[in-house]
Amino acid sequence: MAAMSESEAGESEVIGYNKQMYGDPKKFAKRAPWDMGEPQPEVVDLVRSRAIRGEVLDIGCGTGEIVIYLASEGFSVTGLDAVPEAIQQAKERAAERGVTATFAVADATDLSAYADRFDTVVDSGLFHVLDAEQRRKYATTLHAACRPGGRVFVLAFSAEGREVVKARMAAIGVPQQVTSRMSPLAPDDLRAAFGPLWEEESIRDSAIRVRFPGDASTSDLPAMFAVFRRP
């Protein structure tokens, strides 16, 4: 059996930890910090501004809150995640709320099974856990999965937001091997990944809403919000 690369080993470690987290309902007060029970405000704004259209992909969908929200707004949505436990929980939540959506386990750097499928991609918190090599593969496979004119909306922690998250996650016992996977991103990192195949429409400051275990309320942490269009 071929040895895993450093990138693959790191990704496997993160996926393994997420499996443990989703598989143990007592861990992290029964939810991960990014499991808000509601969509990110940026996604709500996309719906209100009618920026989302056609067939939609939520990549790295976790327990499916964004997928469920978009489906309840009338969109045809597919949610993909690398963690089977997350997908199972997403299916259960959608069924409980009477929402029809498609969920499947998939590798975000290989979407060959979804060629020419989507008009809109929502990435809420996935890009910032990929290393540089994975980000390039990710942008390439998304390009193949999107139809011409399709857009990808990327919400990712900025360098400042990453440092806050790393400190808080370490304080609640998340291994350093996992938090170290969160890249200290700048706009040029987004451009390096998407630039060869996508047209940049905008990159601006934003925030990702989280609620850490033990916190009574949510926190909005510094992030970037980027929009790229497939020519």
Side-chain angles (χ1 to χ4, degrees), residues 74-93:
F75 295 99
S76 175
V77 193
T78 297
L80 302 178
D81 200 282
V83 183
E85 288 80 358
I87 290 298
Q88 182 58 39
Q89 290 184 33
K91 290 178 178 179
E92 292 170 358
R93 291 188 187 190

Side-chain angles (χ1 to χ4, degrees), residues 59-134:
I59 187 70
C61 68
T63 52
E65 290 300 332
I66 288 175
V67 175
I68 292 168
Y69 167 68
L70 292 176
S72 70
E73 291 290 324
F75 295 99
S76 175
V77 193
T78 297
L80 302 178
D81 200 282
V83 183
E85 288 80 358
I87 290 298
Q88 182 58 39
Q89 290 184 33
K91 290 178 178 179
E92 292 170 358
R93 291 188 187 190
E96 289 170 0
R97 300 180 201 180
V99 169
T100 300
T102 300
F103 293 100
V105 177
D107 176 354
T109 64
D110 181 6
L111 300 176
S112 54
Y114 298 90
D116 198 33
R117 174 80 170 269
F118 302 107
D119 303 290
T120 302
V121 178
V122 176
D123 173 345
S124 177
L126 174 63
F127 188 85
H128 59 222
V129 301
L130 303 176
D131 62 28
E133 178 185 356
Q134 290 170 330

Side-chain angles (χ1 to χ4, degrees), residues 28-67:
F28 289 162
K30 299 185 178 181
R31 58 167 181 77
W34 57 83
D35 184 2
M36 300 299 301
E38 60 186 34
Q40 289 288 330
E42 284 283 11
V43 178
V44 175
D45 288 345
L46 288 175
V47 172
R48 289 174 176 170
S49 64
R50 299 184 179 180
I52 294 179
R53 65 180 183 84
E55 288 288 327
V56 184
L57 168 64
D58 178 11
I59 187 70
C61 68
T63 52
E65 290 300 332
I66 288 175
V67 175

Side-chain angles (χ1 to χ4, degrees), residues 133-165:
E133 178 185 356
Q134 290 170 330
R135 293 195 295 261
R136 287 190 293 270
K137 290 180 179 178
Y138 173 60
T140 299
T141 198
L142 279 184
H143 184 273
C146 282
R147 298 169 181 143
R151 285 181 170 84
V152 55
F153 299 94
V154 182
L155 182 62
F157 282 120
S158 63
E160 182 182 357
R162 170 187 182 267
E163 292 308 308
V164 175
V165 172

